[in-house]
Amino acid sequence: MDILHLSDIHFRRNYEKAKDGYKGMLTKMENPLIRLESSLTSLLKIKKIDLVIISGDLTEDGEPEDYAFLKQKLQTILQGIPMIVTLGNHDIKKNFRIGWLNQIGTERPYNVVQTYPEFHIISLDNSEHDNPDGHMNKEQKDWLQITLKKLSDKPILLVMHHHLLREQSSMPTLPEAEETIQLLKGSDILGVLTGHTHHPYLHHINGIPYYTVAGMSFVGEDEGQGIVRFEENYGYNLYSIDKGRFTHFQVNYYRTDKLLAKLNMQIDSSVL
């Protein structure tokens, strides 16, 4: 199975008007759907993709109409390729359920289990809207523990938004990162896929392949003393899975060198 991993699209049909700060930076960014469509259209001409995974921040605090528009756009580009998504801290669960799922809007966590012949996928919601670091409450921890036991017959691919390793980013990890890692012990974990940092990263957690994908919008480069340089960069990961194991991994990361803003994030902490 060939899998395309995307994250952090931060889409809005219309971004909030602002001159300064994080919101001002977003108004200077080319709409991410332009890069998304261009890169995916080119990719699909040369490679067959069986599944698309999007690990959160589909929208930038989007309305139901933003989710509906984004889903329709992706379905048009992907031409029937199935999608599995999780949510990030800029996703509003109620609006996602209305616009993306066509359901009644609730703030319940969005957890998904999908089973394939050789493995399972768990899409775990560790996000809270407007909480940049995310959160795993007891209910979510219990759900993950129970689900891991239920799915013990095949390897498991775990998808979540927030990252788990301190060394990969100056951004704080999920506060319950260590507890989450401990919960994975004893299970046959094929790999862990995350987003949130907007920087591609490859590592292992107790022998488990761990992949963070670039954002499909912008990236923040830490310059120290709270100053972050925002650039309009984007990318995606590709994975091939055969017989319950990763057989291929590829990072595609594109730098535009377009400077969007330099911000003091000690003052404006709403980013990412």
Side-chain angles (χ1 to χ4, degrees):
M1 174 177 281
D2 290 317
I3 298 175
L4 169 65
H5 181 194
L6 306 170
S7 195
D8 296 271
I9 303 170
H10 289 265
F11 170 70
R12 285 298 295 267
R13 293 169 303 151
N14 297 291
Y15 291 91
E16 184 177 337
K17 293 181 180 180
K19 292 183 178 180
D20 303 311
Y22 173 68
K23 292 181 179 179
M25 180 274 292
L26 292 172
T27 65
K28 300 173 185 176
M29 178 180 67
E30 184 176 59
N31 192 297
L33 292 196
I34 296 173
R35 300 286 183 184
L36 180 71
E37 182 171 18
S38 174
S39 57
L40 297 194
T41 300
S42 298
L43 172 65
L44 293 173
K45 287 180 180 178
I46 60 173
K47 186 168 182 62
K48 180 180 179 294
I49 299 295
D50 300 302
L51 175 68
V52 174
I53 292 174
I54 308 176
S55 53
D57 280 357
L58 285 78
T59 74
E60 178 68 33
D61 311 320
E63 300 292 335
E65 294 79 9
D66 294 309
Y67 286 102
F69 188 98
L70 176 60
K71 184 178 183 181
Q72 181 60 53
K73 185 69 172 180
L74 283 164
Q75 287 177 330
T76 299
I77 297 170
L78 298 174
Q79 298 181 1
I81 300 172
M83 292 183 286
I84 292 177
V85 307
T86 190
L87 302 183
N89 49 289
H90 280 282
D91 288 310
I92 300 173
K93 300 183 200 302
K94 177 181 178 180
N95 292 348
F96 166 79
R97 288 185 183 277
I98 296 171
W100 187 279
L101 299 178
N102 197 26
Q103 296 179 354
I104 295 173
T106 74
E107 293 299 326
R108 294 284 300 163
Y110 179 67
N111 301 318
V112 174
V113 173
Q114 184 70 47
T115 296
Y116 295 91
E118 296 180 349
F119 62 96
H120 303 285
I121 294 180
I122 296 177
S123 175
L124 175 69
D125 187 354
N126 63 6
S127 71
E128 286 185 338
H129 181 241
D130 272 349
N131 175 4
D133 301 339
H135 177 56
M136 280 269 286
N137 60 25
K138 184 179 185 303
E139 181 181 1
Q140 283 293 82
K141 293 174 197 173
D142 290 346
W143 181 88
L144 177 59
Q145 188 172 33
I146 291 168
T147 303
L148 288 170
K149 289 181 179 178
K150 284 182 178 179
L151 304 180
S152 60
D153 61 318
K154 299 176 185 178
I156 296 167
L157 185 62
L158 178 63
V159 182
M160 62 180 68
H161 181 64
H162 289 84
H163 62 296
L164 301 176
L165 300 178
R166 291 184 186 137
E167 61 266 30
Q168 75 177 96
S169 175
S170 59
M171 297 168 60
T173 64
L174 178 75
E176 299 80 20
E178 287 299 325
E179 294 175 73
T180 303
I181 291 171
Q182 289 299 315
L183 286 173
L184 302 183
K185 286 187 174 181
S187 296
D188 186 2
I189 305 299
L190 177 62
V192 177
L193 309 185
T194 72
H196 187 57
T197 70
H198 293 221
H199 287 82
Y201 185 79
L202 165 63
H203 202 67
H204 286 80
I205 299 176
N206 299 327
I208 300 169
Y210 172 89
Y211 306 106
T212 299
V213 68
M216 186 53 75
S217 48
F218 59 85
V219 68
E221 301 289 353
D222 188 352
E223 296 192 340
Q225 298 183 329
I227 303 300
V228 177
R229 181 180 76 258
F230 288 94
E231 298 177 354
E232 189 179 77
N233 298 333
Y234 64 101
Y236 55 85
N237 286 357
L238 294 169
Y239 315 110
S240 291
I241 298 175
D242 183 44
K243 298 179 180 178
R245 290 292 176 264
F246 278 101
T247 59
H248 181 70
F249 165 76
Q250 180 179 337
V251 174
N252 291 69
Y253 186 48
Y254 304 95
R255 302 187 67 94
T256 68
D257 294 323
K258 178 181 177 181
L259 177 65
L260 298 172
K262 286 189 179 183
L263 302 179
N264 186 338
M265 300 314 298
Q266 294 176 347
I267 298 173
D268 188 348
S269 61
S270 60
V271 67
L272 303 179

